[in-house]
Amino acid sequence: MPVLFRIKLIPLVLLLAVVFAFLLNWPVLLHFYDILTHLEHVKMGFAISIPFVLVAALNFVFMPFSIRFLLKPFFALLFVTGSMVSYSTLKYKVMFDQSMIQNIVETNPQEAHSYLNGSIILWLLLTGILPAILLFLIKIEYPAKWYKGITYRLLSMAASLLLIAGVAALYYQDYASVGRNNSTLNKEIIPANYVYSTVRYLQDTYFTTKEPFQTLGDDAKRVANKDKPTLMFLVIGETARSQNFSMNGYDRDTNAFTSQSGDVISFKDVHSCGTATAVSVPCMFSNMNRTEYNAKKATNSENFLDIVQKTGVSLLWKDNDGGCKGVCKRLPTIEIKPTDNPKLCNGETCFDEVMLENIDEEMAKMAGDKLVAFHIIGSHGPTYFQRYPAKQRHFMPECARSDIENCTQEQLVNTYDNTIRYTDYVVAQMIEKLKLYSNKYNTVLLYVSDHGESLGESGLYLHGTPYKLAPDQQTHIPMQVWMSPGFIADKHINMTCLKNNAAKNPYSHDNLFSSVLGIWDITTRDYHADSDLFRGCRS
């Protein structure tokens, strides 16, 4: 292999720290100085010291990994992965905490491909792959004696600590003040943020004692209607936010179809359990509230679908969004493959109308009372334009690209609103299907999204921001319910009461567990009446 140039070990590690500080950590430096511009008084020395502290900290952290045979592959990997993290942070303000690592690990290839575009490929080549290649072309001169190598490393680390200590002595209060008021800064430093989060994820997932499996509703009993069985469609949306629903006050007619279906009730104040599918879906089906939710416990526990199934209801899960995140693993499941339906799929993704394909035949195989859960792809970004067919391009011009930050705000919102309107069309089609079955079944549809989405507000795009920092756009979600006259009569539901509650009362994913059990008239010690959003409107 040709040698580009020679460099001693200690200067090389310092050079790596400088490159990481000014190249890959450009987003955190921008954020830091943006914070300073909004402060009333800023010391010049404090502002100047920031990049020096960052370089010193990185030099200190990097030095233990400067071992022969480890250094080049280790830092080459950091360059490539750090480049992708840097791009996501700079363009979308994505924060790489443990939940985000979980989202990445659980993302399927089709979903991952939707994030690729010319901008990210060019960024990866220039800031990740090229530096990694250059690193392999450098001849590193290591100290001749092993003890000299250890000494030089310790001296370099000591110098870094001395610089940090000196800055702290002068500007500790300034750093402490900025840190207290901007708690995300320490989660933005590359590569510490994603390396730490990945280690935590791996530790919690593979190297900790598994929770004992917990069954729920072993005492469950259900009062079934003797005249007609019940048929329920449970629709789990993807990435829909409440503020873009015309039924919730949005000035565009994004609910053009369900508003014509009759008696569709929209709940205006509903909030999600998480800001990403990997958290929200298992959380909303679990018996835990958002504040007490534990992913390991949820993975090793039954959910409300298991309880409903225990009472004799036939269940089916249909998935068009890359997996059920574990909630359907004890249920009959149909996972839509993008290659199965050329009419509604393009080989990588499918329009949600595919959910109703073969539904009559599939339900015919189910006996008695039935619950069909649909996990739709909805408004999953960033390729919003791929979520609806050409005939549903209602709001124009659209953003027909994945690097959505390069579209105008008008194009981006138009495209997202088209996804909401198309989802509304699909839900309306499901309601029409249920109406066809209303002579044989008491029918009901419940739709709820898993989380919301940011569309450039405050510089944020997509979703996955830590919940305590997430904007309302990522947590305020839509929920709708439709009931047939037979279902309303059988459950003794006061629709006026339910409409009033939907307009005024706050709800969340925490209500879903007991509400579904309650609407099925299931009694169990795991049911909590105060969380059942239907209970107060049943006579």
Side-chain angles (χ1 to χ4, degrees), residues 5-13 15 138-142:
F5 62 87
R6 298 172 180 271
I7 188 172
K8 293 182 183 294
L9 174 66
I10 304 305
L12 172 63
V13 177
L15 177 62
I138 293 173
K139 176 67 175 179
I140 305 173
E141 296 181 356
Y142 291 89

Side-chain angles (χ1 to χ4, degrees), residues 485-509:
F487 186 90
I488 294 169
D490 178 51
K491 303 298 180 181
H492 306 287
I493 294 176
N494 184 325
M495 293 297 282
T496 302
C497 167
L498 194 59
K499 289 177 182 177
N500 288 336
N501 286 353
K504 299 177 182 178
N505 293 350
Y507 297 104
S508 73
H509 280 160

Side-chain angles (χ1 to χ4, degrees), residues 9 24 75 102 134 158 316 349-350 374 404 411 454 528:
L9 174 66
L24 298 185
F75 285 99
Q102 181 183 358
L134 293 177
L316 173 66
T349 185
C350 297
F374 299 94
I404 55 177
Q411 291 172 327
S454 288
H528 299 287

Side-chain angles (χ1 to χ4, degrees), residues 213-216 282 285-286 297-307 309-310 313-317 324-333:
F213 190 81
Q214 179 185 9
T215 60
L216 297 174
F285 283 89
S286 78
K297 186 175 179 181
T299 300
N300 292 283
S301 174
E302 293 181 332
N303 54 67
F304 72 72
L305 293 178
D306 296 294
I307 298 177
Q309 187 169 240
K310 288 179 181 180
V313 178
S314 295
L315 272 82
L316 173 66
W317 181 282
C324 67
K325 309 306 179 186
V327 303
C328 67
K329 58 186 175 184
R330 292 168 293 276
L331 309 177
T333 302

Side-chain angles (χ1 to χ4, degrees), residues 65-78:
F65 300 96
S66 62
I67 303 170
R68 193 191 299 261
F69 306 120
L70 172 65
L71 187 151
K72 288 187 176 182
F74 178 75
F75 285 99
L77 178 63
L78 289 188

Side-chain angles (χ1 to χ4, degrees), residues 139-186:
K139 176 67 175 179
I140 305 173
E141 296 181 356
Y142 291 89
K145 304 292 184 179
W146 66 267
Y147 56 86
K148 287 186 177 180
I150 293 176
T151 302
Y152 294 158
R153 289 180 176 93
L154 290 176
L155 288 173
S156 179
M157 294 171 71
S160 295
L161 286 179
L162 187 63
L163 189 151
I164 294 171
V167 171
L170 295 172
Y171 305 112
Y172 174 78
Q173 291 298 332
D174 301 274
Y175 277 97
S177 176
V178 171
R180 280 195 303 268
N181 296 318
N182 301 275
S183 58
T184 67
L185 280 171
N186 64 329

